[in-house]
Amino acid sequence: MSRVTDFINLNLNPSTIIAEYIWIGGSGLDLRSKARTLSTPIDDPQKLPKWNYDGSSTGQAHGNDTEVILHPQAVFKDPFRRGNNILVLCDAYNPLGDPIYTNKRFDAAKIFGHPDVVAEAPWFGLEQEYTLLQKDTKWPLGWPIGGFPRPQGPYYCGVGAEKTFGRDIVDAHYKACLYAGITIGGVNAEVMPGQWEFQVGPSAGITAADELWVARYILERVAEIAGVIVSFNPKPVPGDWNGAGAHTNYSTKSMRKEGGYEAIQKAIEKLGLRHEEHIASYGEGNEHRLTGLHETADINTFSWGVAKRGVSIRVGRETEKEGKGYFEDRRPGSNMDPYVVTSMIAETTILWKP
Ligand code: ADP
Ligand code: MN
Ligand code: MN
Ligand code: MN
């Protein structure tokens, strides 16, 4: 008897490629994808065919003409189909060639393409926290139904069956991302049980956001196989449980070179002047997370410090000691759009003149 997996493992003619086109749907957080067959391997996104989808089915178009055009922007190896098969990250345009309103990549690419930004070679390290939920109850993985686990303390980077829940998913995702060609730096169990983190980067310019979106896609697919829900809610459980963030680590050429500490100070000062604007773009529901408790700063107050965790911006001990390096914007929520957050940080710190 044949099994389903036998067919999944069928070897195709090496010139037959399956390309999974990925895009962001109407909520700004939902990922969508569909596959097509190519008759020759292509790894340059500019050479891949454009494609389309029905925007009325993703909350991105209404009226008579609902066709949305996908423009391939980045290519990764497909860890699910393997072989020569690929994942193709796309952004979305109307038939006239204008970016649709949910296309945040378009404006980000403009900022990262600005000569002054290119000259500063911005790098980002994105710490993506997320919570795994049981499929039927939408309650965190490992938590008793209708009840709570023991208080936080033993879970952060914990080991053992009563402390970590979902490690197989985390590890599968980690390896799948490395296979795909994503610069994933590491993973760890978080303070709240059932909550985890992975880090993308350091990656240059818009690549960091592209990689984070594909890493999120791969996570959704791995969790789908495991029958578990991924939540990017910044405060999945109210009360004395840690929220989920997306700390954004950042440096420019000026910050990384000798004496870069001065450039870091200037950048932090500018970020402070635009605190409200940044907060408004750092994720929905983030106000439930940025309370001043649970290793966060209060949402209404900008603050920074060396090696402090209850602040908006943290400068690492190492960076202070070396007098150069990078800093961490701790404000973004786990559901933030990395195109928006990374380009806004570059815009404020490199292009904006107060
Ligand atoms: P934390 O101590 O806040 O948990 P992590 O180790 O989880 O820190 O994440 C630190 C992130 O900073 C990593 O993604 C790493 O790639 C990134 N990073 C390291 N050096 C730089 C740099 N020079 N510029 C930008 N990001 C950097
Ligand atoms: Mn971290
Ligand atoms: Mn963390
Ligand atoms: Mn951090």
PDB file of all heavy atoms in Angstrom, residues 127 188 197 199, ligand 2:
ATOM      1  N   GLU A 127      14.330  40.220  17.213  1.00  0.00           N
ATOM      2  CA  GLU A 127      14.000  39.151  18.168  1.00  0.00           C
ATOM      3  C   GLU A 127      12.492  38.930  18.119  1.00  0.00           C
ATOM      4  O   GLU A 127      11.737  39.721  18.659  1.00  0.00           O
ATOM      5  CB  GLU A 127      14.414  39.547  19.579  1.00  0.00           C
ATOM      6  CG  GLU A 127      15.895  39.826  19.760  1.00  0.00           C
ATOM      7  CD  GLU A 127      16.179  40.410  21.141  1.00  0.00           C
ATOM      8  OE1 GLU A 127      15.786  39.814  22.145  1.00  0.00           O
ATOM      9  OE2 GLU A 127      16.781  41.498  21.210  1.00  0.00           O
ATOM     10  N   ASN A 188      15.206  30.714  21.855  1.00  0.00           N
ATOM     11  CA  ASN A 188      15.156  30.427  23.295  1.00  0.00           C
ATOM     12  C   ASN A 188      13.724  30.383  23.807  1.00  0.00           C
ATOM     13  O   ASN A 188      12.827  30.997  23.231  1.00  0.00           O
ATOM     14  CB  ASN A 188      15.972  31.461  24.109  1.00  0.00           C
ATOM     15  CG  ASN A 188      15.468  32.881  23.989  1.00  0.00           C
ATOM     16  OD1 ASN A 188      15.917  33.647  23.130  1.00  0.00           O
ATOM     17  ND2 ASN A 188      14.536  33.260  24.844  1.00  0.00           N
ATOM     18  N   GLU A 197      11.159  32.476  21.442  1.00  0.00           N
ATOM     19  CA  GLU A 197      11.750  33.551  20.644  1.00  0.00           C
ATOM     20  C   GLU A 197      12.721  32.966  19.623  1.00  0.00           C
ATOM     21  O   GLU A 197      13.387  31.975  19.894  1.00  0.00           O
ATOM     22  CB  GLU A 197      12.524  34.513  21.565  1.00  0.00           C
ATOM     23  CG  GLU A 197      13.392  35.525  20.822  1.00  0.00           C
ATOM     24  CD  GLU A 197      14.174  36.444  21.763  1.00  0.00           C
ATOM     25  OE1 GLU A 197      13.585  36.936  22.744  1.00  0.00           O
ATOM     26  OE2 GLU A 197      15.377  36.650  21.512  1.00  0.00           O
ATOM     27  N   GLN A 199      15.682  34.728  16.703  1.00  0.00           N
ATOM     28  CA  GLN A 199      16.305  35.978  16.270  1.00  0.00           C
ATOM     29  C   GLN A 199      16.738  35.881  14.815  1.00  0.00           C
ATOM     30  O   GLN A 199      17.374  34.917  14.415  1.00  0.00           O
ATOM     31  CB  GLN A 199      17.536  36.304  17.127  1.00  0.00           C
ATOM     32  CG  GLN A 199      17.256  36.454  18.614  1.00  0.00           C
ATOM     33  CD  GLN A 199      17.701  35.226  19.395  1.00  0.00           C
ATOM     34  OE1 GLN A 199      18.636  34.539  19.001  1.00  0.00           O
ATOM     35  NE2 GLN A 199      17.029  34.931  20.497  1.00  0.00           N
TER      36      GLN A 199
HETATM   37 MN    MN B   2      16.519  37.850  22.958  1.00  0.00          MN
END
